[in-house]
Amino acid sequence: MVDNIKKGGVDIYPEVSDKAESSSFQEAHFVNYNNSNESKWQKFKDSFKRLEDDIDPNLSEAEKAEIRRYRNEGEKLNKSLKTRHMILIAIATGIGTGLLVGSGSSLNKGGPAGLIIGTVIVGSMLVNVMEAAGEMALTYGDLTGGFNAYTSFLVDESFAFAVSWNYCIQWLCVMPLELVTASMTIKYWTTTINPDAFVAIFYVLIVVINFAGSAGYGEAEFFFNSAKSLMLVGFIILSIILSVGGAGDHHYYGAHYWHDPGAFANSFKGVCAVLINMAFALGCTEANAFMSSEAKNPRRAIPSATKQVVYKVVFFFIVPLFLIGLLVPYNSPELLGSSGSKTHASPFVIAVSKVKVVPHIVNAVILLAVLSVGNSALFIASRTLQSLAEQGFAPSWFNYIDRTGKPLRALAVSSIIGLFSFIAAYDKQETVFNWLLSISGLSQIFTWTGICLGHIRFRAAFKAQGYSTNELGYKSKTGVWGSIYGVVINFLILIAQFWIALWPIGGDGKANANSFFQNYLGAVVALVFYVAHKLWHRNWKLWIPADQIDLRKGRKIFDADVLAQEDMEETQRIKNSPFYVRAYHFWC
C-alpha cells in the first residue's frame, strides 16, 4: 500500500485507500500526456505543465489528493536515485567550500590545535543531531517540510517560520557562494581571465543539471562525490608520506608547526572562530537521517547513517585537517584570511605543493567539489522554497510542481538569485565570500538547534500524554540528554560567534559594528523573521505546552510488541551469523 495513505494507523482517505493498493489505480486516472503520437518537442513542452493538469478531472478531491501524494513520492531523493548514488551522497555530499577552502581561514585564525578542537566539538554535537533527526524522521516522515516542519507543532510556529526561512536563505546563498569560490579556486592557475567568464560556464552547467530533474542531479553528484572521496583518500596517504619526509623535499615535518609558529593562533578566541566555519563545512549532514528513514529497513538504516557521520567527521575532516596542520603553518601568507599574498590557495593544495603535478590535480578536484555543493544548493533551495509555499510560509505561487516532479517556479527564482554569483569579478570578492559564509553557517546552527529542540519537546509531550517510547519505530541512542547537549553546544557557538563578530580577531579591542553585521547577519535575519511572525499572527506563546502538542499529526504508530519481536529476531540472526557479518553490523 502507498505509505502515506495511512497515518497514525487511521485511514486519511478511506474511500481511496483500497483502490490505491495497486499502481493500476494511479495510472488509470492520469491523462496520458506521453502519447506516442506526440512529437518529442510537444512532450518536452507538456512536461513543464502543472502536475495536476494530467489528473482525471472527474475524480473526487480525496482521490486527486492521493494521486498528488503518490506522484510526489517519486521526487523524493532516495526514491529517485540508485544505491550507488545514495552511498556517495551520504559520505561526500556537503564536502566543499567549508572544508576544502574555508578550512584555510580556520587554520589561520585557530591554529592546528584550534582547528581540530573546533571540528571535534561540532562533530560530536552532530551525532546527537543525527539521532534526534532519525527518531523524528521515522515517526513523522510524511510531513511536508521535513525537519523544519517538526518545530511548527512541537515547539512553536513562529520559531518554525524563522528557522525554515533561514534554512531556505542559506541554500539560496550557497550557490553564489560556491561559484564565487570556484572563481577563487581557478586563480591558482590564472588571474588574467575575468572570473565571471568561468562563473558563466559553471552557472549554466548547474542550472541545466537541475532542470534535468533528480536523474541528472544524481548522476552529476555521483561523479562529483566519487572525485571528492578519491581525492581525500589520496590526500591522506600522500600527506602522511610527506610529513615523515618520504616525498617532496624529503624534509621531516613531524609536529614542527605545532611548536613554531604554535598550536594555537589566537588562544581561546581562535577556537571560537573555527566553530562557525566547521558548522558550515558539516552542513547538510543531518539530511542523511531523513534519507535513511525512507530506506527499506529504516530501523537499521538510521543507526548506520549515524555511524557514517562519525566516519565522515573522523576520516574526511579530522584526519585531513590534522595532516594539514602538520604541513602548513597557520601564518602561511597563502591561506585564505591571511595577508601578504593576492593568491589564496586551498590549504589542501598548499600541503602537497612540494610534489609536482599533484597540487593541480587536488585543485581540480576542489573545483569539482565546489561545483558539487553549488549543484546541491540549487536543488535543495528550490525544493525548500516550494515546501515553504506548501506549508503556508511563502506565497502559494511557488507551489508549482511540473509533470516531471520539478518545483518549476521555485527552481526558476532560485536560479535567478544565483545570478548574484557574477559578483565574482568584484575586486573584494573575499569580503563577499565572508558575508555569504556567515549567513550560511549561522543558518545551519539554527537548523540543528531546531531538530534537537523539537526532539526534546517531542519526548516531553510523549511523557506528559502517557505514551511509551516503546511505541517508536526508532529510539535515539543518545536520548533527550543527547539533544540537550546539542542545544547547549549550538547555543554556545552562537555566543562565541557573537563575541568574535563584535570584537573581531586582529582588531583594536573595540566593538566593530561592520564586523558584527558581516559575521552575525544570519542571527539578525532569523530574529527579524521570528518577531515579524509573532506580531503578524499575534502568537505570544514561547512554546506549545507538552500536554497540548498534537502527537498524532502525521505520526506513524508502531506496535510495541511487534517492534520488540523484530529486535529480538534481528539480534538472534546477527548472533548466529558468521564473524564477517557480525563485524559488518558492528561497524556499519
Side-chain angles (χ1 to χ4, degrees):
M1 181 179 288
V2 179
D3 289 343
N4 50 4
I5 292 174
K6 289 188 176 183
K7 295 183 178 181
V10 180
D11 285 342
I12 303 299
Y13 295 107
E15 68 271 31
V16 284
S17 59
D18 292 334
K19 297 178 185 178
E21 288 284 353
S22 68
S23 60
S24 58
F25 167 76
Q26 312 293 342
E27 299 301 329
H29 293 87
F30 285 113
V31 177
N32 185 13
Y33 66 90
N34 283 321
N35 192 306
S36 58
N37 295 325
E38 292 182 345
S39 66
K40 291 183 178 180
W41 173 246
Q42 187 61 42
K43 291 178 182 178
F44 174 74
K45 290 195 299 181
D46 287 347
S47 70
F48 292 100
K49 292 182 178 179
R50 186 184 285 272
L51 177 65
E52 287 85 347
D53 291 348
D54 64 341
I55 299 177
D56 188 340
N58 296 319
L59 293 175
S60 68
E61 287 303 314
E63 290 171 326
K64 290 179 182 178
E66 180 54 41
I67 291 174
R68 290 190 195 101
R69 283 194 301 278
Y70 176 84
R71 287 289 293 272
N72 286 342
E73 285 292 305
E75 184 58 20
K76 285 186 178 179
L77 190 58
N78 60 312
K79 302 286 186 180
S80 306
L81 305 182
K82 299 180 176 66
T83 302
R84 61 185 174 90
H85 297 145
M86 293 301 301
I87 293 174
L88 281 171
I89 285 174
I91 293 174
T93 290
I95 295 177
T97 298
L99 173 65
L100 302 177
V101 180
S103 57
S105 175
S106 297
L107 177 61
N108 177 258
K109 293 177 180 177
L115 181 60
I116 297 301
I117 292 172
T119 305
V120 170
I121 290 173
V122 177
S124 66
M125 176 267 296
L126 254 184
V127 173
N128 299 281
V129 172
M130 281 289 294
E131 287 291 331
E135 179 174 305
M136 293 192 297
L138 190 53
T139 305
Y140 294 105
D142 293 327
L143 284 181
T144 298
F147 45 86
N148 283 325
Y150 303 150
T151 51
S152 64
F153 70 96
L154 293 173
V155 183
D156 172 59
E157 192 175 46
S158 298
F159 181 79
F161 178 80
V163 171
S164 298
W165 263 109
N166 221 265
Y167 186 77
C168 184
I169 292 171
Q170 169 194 0
W171 290 106
L172 289 172
C173 287
V174 167
M175 181 186 173
L177 167 64
E178 298 300 322
L179 293 185
V180 168
T181 306
S183 69
M184 294 167 66
T185 304
I186 287 179
K187 282 187 175 183
Y188 181 77
W189 292 306
T190 177
T191 57
T192 58
I193 301 176
N194 190 314
D196 280 348
F198 297 107
V199 168
I201 296 171
F202 301 146
Y203 176 85
V204 171
L205 175 64
I206 289 175
V207 170
V208 168
I209 288 173
N210 275 269
F211 271 90
S214 292
Y217 170 81
E219 292 302 330
E221 283 302 293
F222 179 75
F223 171 72
F224 289 143
N225 289 335
S226 296
K228 285 189 285 187
S229 301
L230 291 173
M231 186 276 283
L232 285 170
V233 171
F235 174 84
I236 291 172
I237 296 172
L238 179 57
S239 295
I240 293 173
I241 296 172
L242 285 169
S243 64
V244 298
D249 57 5
H250 298 285
H251 173 72
Y252 176 75
Y253 288 88
H256 173 74
Y257 289 139
W258 282 62
H259 299 285
D260 181 21
F264 294 94
N266 294 282
S267 62
F268 179 68
K269 201 168 190 178
V271 177
C272 293
V274 172
L275 295 175
I276 197 65
N277 282 358
M278 284 302 105
F280 174 69
L282 285 162
C284 205
T285 302
E286 72 286 342
N288 293 347
F290 297 91
M291 290 190 291
S292 298
S293 70
E294 297 291 334
K296 290 183 179 179
N297 185 0
R299 301 182 68 230
R300 168 65 188 154
I302 290 173
S304 178
T306 303
K307 291 177 184 178
Q308 288 174 2
V309 170
V310 176
Y311 301 150
K312 177 178 179 178
V313 170
V314 173
F315 294 110
F316 281 178
F317 282 80
I318 293 177
V319 171
L321 292 176
F322 172 74
L323 292 169
I324 284 174
L326 297 180
L327 297 170
V328 183
Y330 71 72
N331 59 356
S332 170
E334 296 177 290
L335 288 171
L336 181 69
S338 65
S339 59
S341 175
K342 293 184 178 179
T343 302
H344 299 290
S346 161
F348 286 80
V349 173
I350 300 171
V352 296
S353 60
K354 293 179 176 61
V355 182
K356 292 182 179 180
V357 181
V358 174
H360 297 283
I361 297 174
V362 173
N363 203 59
V365 175
I366 289 173
L367 181 60
L368 291 178
V370 167
L371 294 178
S372 169
V373 179
N375 184 44
S376 298
L378 183 56
F379 185 91
I380 297 172
S382 59
R383 281 145 184 82
T384 302
L385 188 55
Q386 184 272 328
S387 172
L388 287 171
E390 195 168 340
Q391 295 177 74
F393 288 165
S396 59
W397 184 83
F398 290 109
N399 193 16
Y400 183 104
I401 301 176
D402 69 15
R403 290 177 173 180
T404 60
K406 295 190 299 295
L408 195 60
R409 290 173 179 169
L411 182 58
V413 171
S414 300
S415 300
I416 292 171
I417 293 175
L419 291 171
F420 184 69
S421 55
F422 282 94
I423 203 171
Y426 182 46
D427 59 358
K428 294 184 179 180
Q429 63 174 216
E430 190 173 316
T431 301
V432 176
F433 179 93
N434 289 332
W435 277 92
L436 294 175
L437 184 63
S438 173
I439 296 173
S440 304
L442 283 177
S443 176
Q444 196 63 60
I445 296 298
F446 295 132
T447 297
W448 291 337
T449 302
I451 291 172
C452 291
L453 199 56
H455 181 242
I456 293 170
R457 299 301 300 156
F458 170 68
R459 285 294 190 93
F462 239 60
K463 183 178 180 180
Q465 297 181 31
Y467 289 101
S468 169
T469 55
N470 292 329
E471 299 175 40
L472 298 174
Y474 176 77
K475 286 189 287 187
S476 167
K477 297 291 189 298
T478 55
V480 175
W481 284 108
S483 293
I484 292 173
Y485 173 78
V487 171
V488 170
I489 292 297
N490 281 306
F491 183 67
L492 291 177
I493 291 175
L494 287 175
I495 294 175
Q497 182 64 8
F498 181 88
W499 179 35
I500 298 297
L502 197 55
W503 292 279
I505 292 174
D508 56 5
K510 297 180 180 179
N512 188 320
N514 182 68
S515 171
F516 175 79
F517 284 103
Q518 187 182 70
N519 294 283
Y520 216 69
L521 186 60
V524 176
V525 171
L527 183 61
V528 168
F529 275 104
Y530 178 79
V531 173
H533 190 275
K534 285 285 185 188
L535 294 174
W536 183 265
H537 290 276
R538 300 184 181 278
N539 171 23
W540 311 123
K541 290 182 180 178
L542 289 178
W543 60 78
I544 303 171
D547 59 349
Q548 296 179 22
I549 292 176
D550 183 3
L551 290 175
R552 297 186 64 86
K553 180 182 179 181
R555 177 178 154 220
K556 295 178 183 177
I557 298 178
F558 297 86
D559 188 301
D561 293 333
V562 173
L563 292 178
Q565 180 67 24
E566 288 179 354
D567 289 339
M568 185 177 68
E569 291 175 356
E570 178 69 7
T571 301
Q572 192 64 34
R573 184 185 69 81
I574 295 173
K575 184 178 179 180
N576 296 330
S577 299
F579 172 76
Y580 67 88
V581 175
R582 297 198 304 273
Y584 173 81
H585 279 273
F586 177 80
W587 291 105
C588 302

